[in-house]
Amino acid sequence: MEWRIFLSEEIVKSSECIDYFKDSYIIEFLRLLSEIPQEEALETLKRKLQSISKSFNTLFPKNLSEAEIPVKVKELIENNQPLLLPSSLTIVKVDSSFFMLFLKKLKNKFFLALAELDCSVAEDSQIINESLVIEYISNLVKNGDRFLILSVDIENFSRINDSYGIKAGDRILSEILKRLKETLEDCNSKVFRFYSDKFIIVHHHDCENPLKELKPIVSKVLDVFKEPFSTNGKKVYVVPNIGASFFPEHGESVLVKAELAQKEAFLRQVPLIVFSEDIGISEKVLEILTKIKEDLKENRITIYLQPKVDLNSGEIIGAEALMRCSVPPGEAIPVITEYGLLFDVGEVILKKSLNVLRRLERLNVNIPISVNVSYSQLIDKRFIPLIDKLIKNYRINPELLVFEITETEATKCTENLMETLEEIKKRKIKLSIDDFGTGYSSLSRLKLLKAWEIKIDKSFILNLDRNIEDKSIVKFIIDIGKLLSLEVVAEGIEKQEQIDILKELGCYKGQGFFFYPPLPVEEFFNLITKKR
């Protein structure tokens, strides 16, 4: 389902309308929703105002009463008809909180009834409600309400997607959501589709012993999965793993603890686990996981860019995008990987990296930007559709986008991975093999991968000027690159002696603190501007 920004006729015709949108907060908001670079947001809005007004008059006749408007809007949404804005400003995954922010900032006649309607419509659709769930639970915590959370995940759901296709999988997930709502929402419970194949159930209660409330709710959830789901004329049985946590008993990180309990239920192959301190996660990991989820919610995840340089001239010839959040990367990345956040975090990194490419193209600086991707991202059926959508939205040249995958993960060579890599090549996106020399690549595998670049792992560069074995290994890697016509980049360069040896061996590209550390985006652009 697609959503459009909805403005009242009074706002459209208001002489102050443009002034409202000049506010930097609104421009950033519009940019986030429409996924276009910030510089284009205001101009795009100005161009569309006339068509908004015309569409409004067509869809909503003057004899339509204010009370009838939400009914009309719901009808349009259910029939998948566009609301007021052309496709260039299509908004995907919008929940009511976005509309309410818009309403509050505009301070004008906006259809509040519609904003309230959006919440219920979104929950019944394919729209993932991660931000809505977090906001909902945060409000309950602030109010001091007693409640329990069930995190419900479908075991090995990727197999259903692989066997029947993503659309069939989505139909099953929609049916699961429908059944859960029909079963639970008359029982003082709220049901959300959280992300991917995960559902969150929030059950309100006033019982001093939440375990008494838990058993009947879990029983009803398990009953939902006793009957098979139909897709493509076949019956499919799915198995849930459920994690439970309680507020106030488990503290403010109650949602994270329910997810951890669900993960433990999957590992133990049991239907239900209630969070407890002996689950096996340290307070440190729990703190990191909570911070990362908050960073996702508050849009605090960002990128730094480390330039790649020509070792002969010192010219910047590319850059690698590196994730940054409120937790140091060395601590954050293992937790992101282990607790299933790679796709969500990866989507944020991709968006920010493509925006960098877009800005570079406007400066007529045509250098590639490299983005690290993992095996789990590459075999996820959502990955290629996501790439297609982002390339279209940001309108970048895909030949300037490079995906870096570690040598260890690249050599897994599963069917799903090879299919994705083939799709990537069709889109003219380049492939780089990171940390080369630390895995078990063979020449035949490298040839099969058809990579554009290999990056010599920094462990071999560190003692390059003092260790003859490292020097021999680096020479061997450079020779492999030449044999297969691959670009070769040295990582972790920290001194001139390393550069001299690399050039002697035939490697002329590198990155490291000798040249530049990872830089915030604006510092990177300041550097690019000075170098022009």
Side-chain angles (χ1 to χ4, degrees):
M1 180 179 292
E2 295 182 344
W3 295 73
R4 267 95 165 149
I5 296 172
F6 185 94
L7 297 174
S8 74
E9 189 175 18
E10 287 82 356
I11 291 178
V12 172
K13 290 183 176 179
S14 169
S15 60
E16 299 175 328
C17 184
I18 293 297
D19 291 332
Y20 285 121
F21 287 98
K22 285 181 180 176
D23 186 291
S24 60
Y25 180 86
I26 282 294
I27 296 303
E28 174 65 10
F29 169 65
L30 179 63
R31 183 193 67 77
L32 288 173
L33 291 188
S34 57
E35 293 181 346
I36 58 176
Q38 183 168 344
E39 312 88 76
E40 294 182 19
L42 183 57
E43 287 303 317
T44 302
L45 181 67
K46 287 180 179 178
R47 291 197 304 270
K48 303 304 179 185
L49 282 176
Q50 289 302 317
S51 62
I52 292 173
S53 184
K54 291 177 183 177
S55 298
F56 184 91
N57 292 330
T58 302
L59 293 173
F60 297 92
K62 291 184 178 180
N63 60 357
L64 198 66
S65 70
E66 188 167 339
E68 292 174 297
I69 288 176
V71 178
K72 176 70 174 177
V73 169
K74 186 171 183 179
E75 176 189 323
L76 291 169
I77 291 173
E78 288 174 346
N79 293 330
N80 202 26
Q81 292 185 36
L83 293 185
L84 304 185
L85 283 186
S87 59
S88 61
L89 279 179
T90 297
I91 304 168
V92 181
K93 295 184 183 178
V94 174
D95 60 50
S96 61
S97 62
F98 287 143
F99 281 97
M100 296 304 288
L101 282 171
F102 212 30
L103 166 66
K104 183 178 179 182
K105 199 67 185 180
L106 286 172
K107 298 177 183 177
N108 205 315
K109 287 189 177 181
F110 183 85
F111 294 118
L112 180 57
L114 173 63
E116 293 170 346
L117 173 68
D118 289 339
C119 178
S120 61
V121 173
E123 289 166 16
D124 287 330
S125 72
Q126 294 296 330
I127 296 172
I128 310 299
N129 285 290
E130 189 167 357
S131 59
L132 188 61
V133 174
I134 294 170
E135 189 69 28
Y136 183 80
I137 292 171
S138 296
N139 288 335
L140 293 180
V141 169
K142 287 176 186 175
N143 293 336
D145 296 347
R146 299 186 71 89
F147 61 94
L148 64 84
I149 293 179
L150 299 184
S151 174
V152 182
D153 190 72
I154 310 305
E155 190 172 305
N156 297 321
F157 193 78
S158 59
R159 292 181 184 175
I160 293 175
N161 282 336
D162 291 342
S163 300
Y164 301 102
I166 295 175
K167 288 185 178 179
D170 281 342
R171 285 195 293 271
I172 290 175
L173 292 173
S174 293
E175 182 61 25
I176 291 172
L177 180 63
K178 181 181 176 184
R179 289 190 192 181
L180 287 171
K181 282 177 170 287
E182 289 174 349
T183 304
L184 296 171
E185 291 210 332
D186 289 336
C187 306
N188 216 20
S189 299
K190 191 80 171 170
V191 181
F192 302 89
R193 184 175 169 193
F194 194 33
Y195 59 82
S196 189
D197 56 339
K198 180 168 288 188
F199 301 86
I200 296 295
I201 299 164
V202 182
H203 177 69
H204 302 255
H205 69 88
D206 54 10
C207 183
E208 290 297 324
N209 182 2
L211 286 170
K212 289 183 179 180
E213 293 283 321
L214 180 64
K215 185 175 179 180
I217 295 297
V218 171
S219 178
K220 288 179 179 181
V221 172
L222 293 175
D223 285 344
V224 162
F225 295 93
K226 285 182 179 179
E227 293 297 321
F229 297 86
S230 296
T231 184
N232 297 341
K234 296 183 179 179
K235 293 182 177 180
V236 179
Y237 286 88
V238 296
V239 178
N241 300 122
I242 305 172
S245 61
F246 312 129
F247 183 82
E249 289 79 4
H250 291 135
E252 292 187 5
S253 57
V254 59
L255 176 58
V256 172
K257 289 177 178 176
E259 292 183 87
L260 293 174
Q262 178 272 311
K263 179 177 171 62
E264 190 69 16
F266 170 74
L267 294 174
R268 295 188 196 179
Q269 291 292 284
V270 295
L272 172 70
I273 291 285
V274 177
F275 180 83
S276 65
E277 298 303 330
D278 63 357
I279 271 182
I281 181 170
S282 68
E283 284 296 322
K284 179 69 173 176
V285 172
L286 181 60
E287 179 186 355
I288 291 170
L289 186 58
T290 301
K291 284 183 177 179
I292 293 169
K293 283 184 168 289
E294 288 174 353
D295 288 346
L296 274 168
K297 174 193 170 188
E298 301 295 335
N299 195 30
R300 290 197 296 253
I301 292 178
T302 187
I303 59 172
Y304 276 38
L305 296 157
Q306 185 170 37
K308 298 178 184 179
V309 301
D310 183 307
L311 298 186
N312 286 318
S313 65
E315 178 187 359
I316 295 174
I317 55 173
E320 178 182 359
L322 299 165
M323 189 272 295
R324 292 292 184 267
C325 62
S326 62
V327 180
E331 296 179 358
I333 292 171
V335 174
I336 288 169
T337 303
E338 183 175 357
Y339 291 96
L341 296 175
L342 269 174
F343 192 88
D344 296 320
V345 172
E347 182 175 351
V348 174
I349 301 307
L350 274 168
K351 287 179 178 179
K352 293 182 181 296
S353 300
L354 266 59
N355 195 41
V356 167
L357 266 178
R358 176 68 173 163
R359 290 178 64 182
L360 286 170
E361 287 183 20
R362 289 181 165 184
L363 294 172
N364 292 318
V365 178
N366 295 312
I367 59 174
I369 297 296
S370 299
V371 180
N372 292 281
V373 295
S374 69
Y375 176 79
S376 65
Q377 285 173 276
L378 290 169
I379 64 170
D380 193 309
K381 295 292 185 182
R382 297 171 293 170
F383 187 70
I384 292 299
L386 173 65
I387 296 304
D388 288 340
K389 183 186 82 169
L390 294 182
I391 288 175
K392 179 181 177 182
N393 287 346
Y394 285 91
R395 301 187 293 283
I396 57 99
N397 177 3
E399 294 184 44
L400 294 175
L401 179 61
V402 182
F403 286 154
E404 291 191 12
I405 181 172
T406 65
E407 182 186 14
T408 301
E409 294 199 324
T411 53
K412 291 179 181 178
C413 284
T414 63
E415 184 178 346
N416 284 346
L417 175 63
M418 298 311 294
E419 286 177 1
T420 302
L421 293 181
E422 190 60 39
E423 290 298 319
I424 286 170
K425 289 166 201 162
K426 287 179 184 177
R427 288 153 178 79
K428 299 184 179 181
I429 298 168
K430 294 181 172 66
L431 179 67
S432 173
I433 310 300
D434 198 12
D435 301 340
F436 195 84
T438 60
Y440 301 94
S441 292
S442 65
L443 289 177
S444 60
R445 280 181 175 175
L446 274 177
K447 186 179 178 182
L448 185 65
L449 289 169
K450 297 179 182 177
W452 170 70
E453 174 186 84
I454 54 177
K455 299 181 73 177
I456 305 171
D457 187 70
K458 61 185 178 183
S459 63
F460 302 116
I461 305 300
L462 180 63
N463 298 312
L464 185 61
D465 56 329
R466 301 193 300 273
N467 188 311
I468 190 65
E469 290 181 354
D470 284 345
K471 185 175 180 180
S472 298
I473 291 170
V474 169
K475 182 179 187 306
F476 179 63
I477 293 172
I478 293 169
D479 289 343
I480 288 175
K482 290 178 179 177
L483 180 66
L484 296 176
S485 301
L486 301 173
E487 300 290 325
V488 181
V489 178
E491 295 186 285
I493 296 174
E494 296 182 356
K495 50 188 175 180
Q496 183 64 48
E497 291 83 356
Q498 295 166 338
I499 297 171
D500 295 339
I501 294 172
L502 285 166
K503 291 196 292 186
E504 173 194 324
L505 297 176
C507 175
Y508 305 106
K509 296 181 179 181
Q511 67 185 93
F513 279 79
F514 181 82
F515 302 103
Y516 306 100
L519 301 170
V521 171
E522 294 310 317
E523 286 188 26
F524 174 76
F525 275 98
N526 289 339
L527 176 65
I528 291 293
T529 302
K530 289 177 183 177
K531 291 283 184 180
R532 292 181 72 189

